[in-house]
Amino acid sequence: MHWHQKKANEIIEVMNSSVNGLSSEEAQKRLAEYGPNELREKKKKTPFMMFLDQFRDFMILVLIAAAVISGIIGEPSDTIAIAVIVILNAVIGFIQEYRAEKAMAALKRMSAPTATVTRGGSHAGIPASEIVPGDIVLLDAGSFVPADMRLVETAQLRVEEAALTGESVPVDKHTGALQDETIPLGDRKNMAYKGTMVAYGRGSGIVVATGMDTELGRIAKMLQEEEEVKTPLQKRLARFGRRLALAVLAICAVVFSIGVFRGELPIVMFLTAISLAVAAIPEALPAVVTISLAIGARKMVKQNALIRKLPAVETLGSVTYICSDKTGTLTQNRMSVEEMYVNGELIAHGKLGNRGVEKLLISNPHLSTLLNSLALNNDAKPDRDGNIIGDPTDVALFSVARENGFDKSSREELFPRVEEIPFDSERKCMTTFHKIQDAGYRIQDWENYASGIMNHASFISFTKGAIEVLLDKADGILKSGGTVKIDREEIHRVNERMAADGLRVLGIAMRGWNELPSDMSHENVERGLIIIGLVGIMDPPREEAKEAVSMCKKAGIMPVMITGDHPITAWAIARRIGIIEEDDVHFNTITGRELEKLSLKEFEERVENIQVYARVAPEQKLKIVKALQDKGQFIAMTGDGVNDAPALKRADIGIAMGITGTDVAKEASHMILLDDNFATIVRAVREGRKIYDNIRKFVKYLLSTNSGEIWTLFLAPLIGLPIPLLPIHILWINLMTDGLPALALSVEPAETDVMKRPPRNPKESIFAGGLGFFAIWVGLLMAALTLSVQAWSIKTGNAHWQTMVFTVLCLTQLGNALAVRSEKESLFKIGIFSNKAMLGAVMLSFALQMAAIYVPFLNPIFKTDPLSFNELMITIGVSSVIFFAVELEKFFRRKQWLKY
């Protein structure tokens, strides 16, 4: 039912209630019928089942199999290492999932614990969970709204709805019926919704929905129904793991068959094949990925981006659209005076302050009167910590007055407030009366520039409100020559100009009084006014937002604003920060009402071009994210309110605000901006791209080295050579290459072009960009070098041929580790010391390999013999070919002679 369209008395009748509320007996019946006024949670998995679910990934199952096989063939160290890696990843995954399930608990905490209702004609405080449809609930400043209700009485009632609708200022409420059936939540000013807060005034309403039937409950349902999508990295690694495991098993079967066919002992070939399988399975991959993401997360938290779910770090690198809420993310989340119109002059806020205001006060003395009125006609005040508290509009006016030398406390000493008529949403005005002290009269010297307006009055009243209302109450306007007739066309032109910039326009007027009027009704005192000027306020964009939006566009990322705020305000902010251009306003923007009228097909045809959404409902935010995902885009969704939570959870990466964000938004998100700054996202994107690059380098390194081992063992029998390596050699090389050098790649600095290239195609294979081809040719070259040394050594009768083969294959992989540090840049350009971890890892691995050759008690363990100096130099010389070959390939790529 469209409650906002019905009159209050009609709803009381429909709900079978009365102004005296329900009887206790009727309330109990309805509680049994409708259930408690609580948000219900769907049945959740137990923590134990959450933990077991972490072992369902195919890659994890392959690793478990590898651990079992390692134990069978007598390699307990590998078994322990793999088991630790698997359990560590399971624990991390469990923690992430467990924390994500807290979103519903956060929603429940937003429900008011108690409420005041009218039952049987008497007021009573009851638990909010016992409220039922038909109850009359009383509201006052500071209280949470406990259920959805149609207002039946309001007294200057303003409700803070930012968490639900995105509206940046408290909404004035009234009791009149509204005609439009499809009016957005933010414009239903005769309704109050569960989870919002009363900012000012008081009122009462009849409850029309409780629990899961409320707007907050609808969001809770969406939050429960939305499943988190897998990150690009998770998808790529899952595919990679399956393909690699199947390929390795097939190759091992071929190696085993060929060896047996050539007359090798079946047990020896079985152990060789199993060792090759263990070596080729990238058991270090999950650990390297986790460490890379953890290091990135630690670095990002220093840049004010807190990562809640580790895969989100890398996901940022795939993002193609950033859908951002306006209030507090792109804007400063505080109202500010942007422009003032006085004495025919439009003054930007930037011109005020310090010397600027002194010069303006000389050239435009009525500015003094305007600033004075802003300070005095104001209920904002500083708290003990110096923070300004009060209505956001009053705070903005208080601040601009104080910044320009008109502090409220000092003004009130000269003009003490003696009477007031509070703001009323129906008349849209606020009036204050002030006694004019003699000193204040002389200081202001009104006779000189107000042309006797004050008539040596003893009191002065200031009225602020909607300019269209003040025009009907005013007889003149202040100009240089004194009071003149109002040029309504000029005022309307200025008002429209300011409104078109997204400013909320207020008029300021005054009147002199010889004595306080006995009739203080607004009809009597708010007439015969003299307009001082106009003030335009808004929640201004963050200073960094424009640059951040520009950087996003350069990086190929489309910034999109999704807000519950007014379209004109949204358009103005979007233009100022560069999301849209002046000529694109109508083509690239859409309102929630227009979106509702579009069919899914029509919407999907336009969705990739729309950059501003205004007055949207929570389910529409979710619809936008889904539509973009259906078009193959990867979405980052930023937000702070309850209304953002379902979309945050559905998005590829949900980004919540740390300062202004609700608990619900934070719990549903993947990442939290600790400074609520859109610019922080750009830094996070850069880090995400770097991390994916490093993971890709590790995979590139891993595949090429494992490829070298596989080709060596596969080709040797085919060309008539004996099996070149023993199982212990394969496992040792695997430990050396999958260990420290691989981990060192996770801390590689970012490539120079990391933010100058478009986002990766989310569907792009991990083998894209020539990675698969690189692994094949480098692996074949490693095998060719290794088998050449083997053939030469055997031909010359060298008894140490197996140790030389073992050493060549190990050292070629260390040379490869140094060369793959950059996709295109030479190691000599980026510097060998730019990644000290890699330099240390290579030196340590080289030292350990030398120990396996030259330490006497290790020779029988590794089945090695000490090499002569000449033999060692040959192995080092041959191994270095890999390094120079990869460097040559990068040179060809830089010259664009070679393209993948």
Side-chain angles (χ1 to χ4, degrees), residues 491-563:
I491 296 298
H492 284 308
R493 186 171 62 252
V494 172
N495 182 38
E496 289 173 2
R497 147 77 172 74
M498 296 171 77
D501 285 341
L503 303 181
R504 181 185 173 201
V505 184
L506 292 176
I508 313 294
M510 69 179 186
R511 180 179 173 182
W513 303 82
N514 290 326
E515 60 182 10
L516 283 177
S518 56
D519 179 6
M520 289 297 294
S521 66
H522 66 84
E523 295 90 351
N524 180 53
V525 301
E526 291 176 351
R527 60 186 177 85
L529 304 178
I530 306 301
I531 291 179
I532 305 170
L534 280 64
V535 176
I537 64 173
M538 77 180 310
D539 179 10
R542 289 178 176 269
E543 293 180 4
E544 320 85 45
K546 187 170 185 177
E547 182 183 356
V549 167
S550 175
M551 291 181 68
C552 279
K553 289 186 173 182
K554 288 178 183 176
I557 300 168
M558 181 76 78
V560 175
M561 179 191 292
I562 303 180
T563 178

Side-chain angles (χ1 to χ4, degrees), residues 606-745:
R606 291 184 56 188
V607 67
E608 290 180 294
N609 295 317
I610 298 173
Q611 292 178 267
V612 176
Y613 297 83
R615 278 287 191 252
V616 295
E619 61 270 20
Q620 289 178 318
K621 292 189 175 188
L622 190 57
K623 180 181 178 181
I624 294 163
V625 171
K626 286 182 176 180
L628 284 168
Q629 288 176 332
D630 288 344
K631 299 291 284 187
Q633 304 295 342
F634 260 72
I635 314 304
M637 168 70 184
T638 72
D640 56 3
V642 178
N643 56 340
D644 297 321
L648 288 176
K649 188 172 182 180
R650 170 70 189 192
D652 298 285
I653 174 166
I655 306 172
M657 302 300 106
I659 299 173
T660 59
T662 60
D663 286 346
V664 185
K666 292 176 184 176
E667 292 295 343
S669 69
H670 305 83
M671 183 175 100
I672 299 172
L673 298 184
L674 300 180
D675 57 357
D676 286 13
N677 195 334
F678 184 83
T680 301
I681 300 173
V682 179
R683 295 192 290 270
V685 167
R686 185 180 188 276
E687 191 67 23
R689 290 187 174 189
K690 184 196 83 171
I691 286 170
Y692 180 75
D693 282 351
N694 289 348
I695 291 172
R696 197 169 178 276
K697 288 171 189 175
F698 167 73
V699 173
K700 185 177 185 179
Y701 168 68
L702 172 91
L703 286 183
S704 56
T705 53
N706 286 6
S707 171
E709 297 169 30
I710 292 170
W711 284 120
T712 299
L713 291 170
F714 180 71
L715 294 175
L718 295 181
I719 61 175
L721 293 174
I723 298 298
L725 298 170
L726 298 174
I728 185 65
H729 297 154
I730 299 172
L731 295 173
W732 173 253
I733 292 173
N734 179 53
L735 177 64
M736 297 282 286
T737 57
D738 282 7
L740 296 176
L743 291 174
L745 283 171

Side-chain angles (χ1 to χ4, degrees), residues 350-363:
K351 292 183 179 180
L352 299 176
N354 301 326
R355 292 186 183 179
V357 73
E358 294 175 7
K359 293 178 180 178
L360 284 170
L361 288 174
I362 295 171
S363 63

Side-chain angles (χ1 to χ4, degrees), residues 235-248:
K235 294 175 183 176
R236 290 186 181 100
L237 292 182
R239 289 194 298 267
F240 170 67
R242 284 193 294 270
R243 292 173 182 174
L244 183 63
L246 294 174
V248 166

Side-chain angles (χ1 to χ4, degrees), residues 1-5 37 110-112 137 139 143-151 157-165 171 173 178 180-198 205-211 213-219 617-618 642:
M1 185 173 291
H2 300 290
W3 302 108
H4 61 278
Q5 289 186 282
N37 178 34
M110 283 197 64
S111 302
V137 176
L139 302 172
S143 63
F144 273 101
V145 179
D148 286 4
M149 60 183 70
R150 171 65 164 84
L151 296 171
L157 181 66
R158 277 179 263 174
V159 178
E160 175 63 66
E161 296 182 337
L164 188 65
T165 68
V171 178
K173 296 294 184 178
L178 301 171
D180 194 336
E181 181 179 328
T182 60
I183 193 169
L185 285 183
D187 292 332
R188 297 180 189 178
K189 298 188 177 182
N190 57 8
M191 300 287 295
Y193 294 103
K194 182 180 179 70
T196 60
M197 190 181 77
V198 178
I206 181 167
V207 174
V208 295
T210 59
D213 295 326
T214 63
E215 292 296 328
L216 194 67
R218 289 174 60 239
I219 294 174
V642 178

